[in-house]
Amino acid sequence: MKKGWIILLTAAMMLIGCTGNTEVTQTVPTAEPANAEQTAPTAEPIEVESVIPTEKIEGSSLYVKKVEDLPDDFILGMDASAVIAEEQSGVKYYNFAGEEQDVFKTLAENGVTHIRVRVWNHPYDAEGHGYGGGNNDVLKAVEIGKRATRYGMRLIVDFHYSDFWADPGKQMVPLAWKDMNIREKADALYAFTKDALLTMKAGGVAVGMVQLGNETNGALCGESHFENIARLMQAGGKAVREVCPDALIAVHLANPERDGAYDGFAKKLEAFEVDYDVLASSYYPYWHGTIENLQNVLNGIAEKYGKKVMVMETSYAYTGADTDFSGNTISDESANIVKDYPFTVQGQANNVRNVIDTVAHTKNGIGVVYWEGTWITVGTSSWEENHEKWEKYGSGWASSYGGSYDPNDAGKYYGGCAVDNQAMFDPTGHPLESLRVWNLVRYGNEVEPKADAIRDTAMSFDLKGTIALPETVDAILTSNELVPVPVKWNVTDADIERMYAGGVKTYEITGEAEGLSARMTVSMINFNYLRNFGFEDGVLDPWQTEDRGGADQLYIENKITDSLNGAYHMHFWSAKKDSVDFSLFQEVKDLEAGTYSFTISIMGGDAGDTEIYCYVLIDGVEAGRTPMRITSYGNWDTQTVRDVEVKEGQTVTVGISVKCSGAGNGAWGKIDDALLNRQE
Ligand code: CA
């Protein structure tokens, strides 16, 4: 003890405890207290040397548009929860000079101001095997917190109040608390929070913010009644205020795209008088709606409830490829992914920059945290080699041992890292240029834009027409603008002949533009005589509707996840009984004489009795109809009216008639992709 005090005094170290946005530093006592054993401060000293740059890092090739009016204290955070398990697995991290260096120093040197760490109560089975995901208990968080503090960053403590992952899909109670009633559980949660924060404080960790749960959309710690959720949050918040009075308290939700969900949650927090400062949101652009919607939702919370707001988790893929032999949540093949940015290092940086820009220009917006840029592969040789490390050190998302606690998820799908392609370090631990974004957003780095990726192209050709491949494709520039550039397709005349001969079929072809690879989907189709056949013009014309029942909603909708193909479809919904009764049709004139077929698709539900059919009229007289049905979401019914004989000069009307005798609970549906083809 005595020796420690001498070192401490001579080194003139600073003590840092729990701090909010204002840094609190204390100098140590100048004289040894009379009874050092009892009255010495509990905090261990950490020699703090902030390496967070206060100037622009020059020389980067990364294009970064400056975020205007970014506050000096804006939180630029990185979740680095898995780092210790990664290091135990043999991962080494490097700086931009190629030297091995503490990854926390590298993060701070590139502008990261806060490190976020998840905390599980007891992520170990009865034999002491870790569940994985970094095996993040309180002691790991303390160790990470110390390293973050040392380089001038603050810690965001993410209490899951579970023994393993908590998210909107699961909020499992820690095993040790499973038989407790709500009063006992609140007491236990208070004590756990207090102990954890006291341990951090004793370790000299600079705690900037504390989360009361992780993505607690509808539950927390096994409780789903809001009164109980509120009670637990109050208990956690009380501990935070007592131990870390200067730290911010955050409530963290996911799914901002759910209409009114955040407002509803905040209203209940207010009603139950839950003490918190920040309403934080996850924002994964693949799943969580548009950035404009996010901003609207957060603005609403800030205005209505006076809370600070932020993005607590975001990320973007720098590659579609997996690097650790364990599948990723996002890949080039992911369904329904709207890629506003290419999966490149620059695309990753652009996306992060725009999320920062959005939050910075949201009322009371205080920060953005990335999840989690340091979680990379533990080996580059084989699944077997990596699997051994995931099991031993918990460096994968879940080990097989996690199944003892969470049999339905970890127990079935345990494995490696599912976000290694969204890291900001490459598979060998070297930083990607995108890591510079945290510094460069403050200053801008508008280097000459150049082509970064080629946007995928899709074209359809009539089997009886001409295959004319486009001579240009859209290049996505580093500035995220689109410009046409010349392309050379890897297609021979013989390939073209085979496409004509192959009938109705789809081909993937590749090419090269600006030294980058280009991809194109070529669909060989029978000529479709309908215009705006998939509603992709975004308007009704030249379709027409006859609304016989006065439906509440009947319009062209832009929603990729509800479309059969493309982004648009015809949408209908009505809550009133018997009000869904309409026809959607298009007239076609000047068809060549011949035999035709008409095809269309529908899905929907809640319809009661239905009378739905597609039909063809010739000069106003019905020439054929085929019954259709709606059953449930995502189950498309595709039907065809065949053998329609058309003579020269006749007007053909094709359409779908929908009548639902709903029980008053709202028939709804979607119509898409109409085809009027010559029959062979
Ligand atoms: Ca992976």
Side-chain angles (χ1 to χ4, degrees), residues 322-328 416-421:
D322 171 54
T323 61
D324 77 342
F325 309 99
S326 181
N328 293 332
C417 179
V419 292
D420 46 289
N421 64 328

Side-chain angles (χ1 to χ4, degrees), residues 564-604:
L564 182 57
N565 282 298
Y568 292 87
H569 53 263
M570 170 59 87
H571 160 86
F572 64 87
W573 173 79
S574 212
K576 295 173 295 193
K577 186 170 165 60
D578 298 333
S579 59
V580 172
D581 186 1
F582 67 92
S583 277
L584 167 72
F585 57 94
Q586 182 172 149
E587 279 182 6
V588 185
K589 295 179 199 277
D590 303 325
L591 282 179
E592 284 175 45
T595 309
Y596 291 81
S597 67
F598 168 60
T599 302
I600 196 163
S601 298
I602 188 170
M603 71 132 162

Side-chain angles (χ1 to χ4, degrees), residues 206-219:
V207 177
M209 196 183 304
V210 180
Q211 282 182 237
L212 305 176
N214 189 73
E215 296 186 336
T216 54
N217 287 9

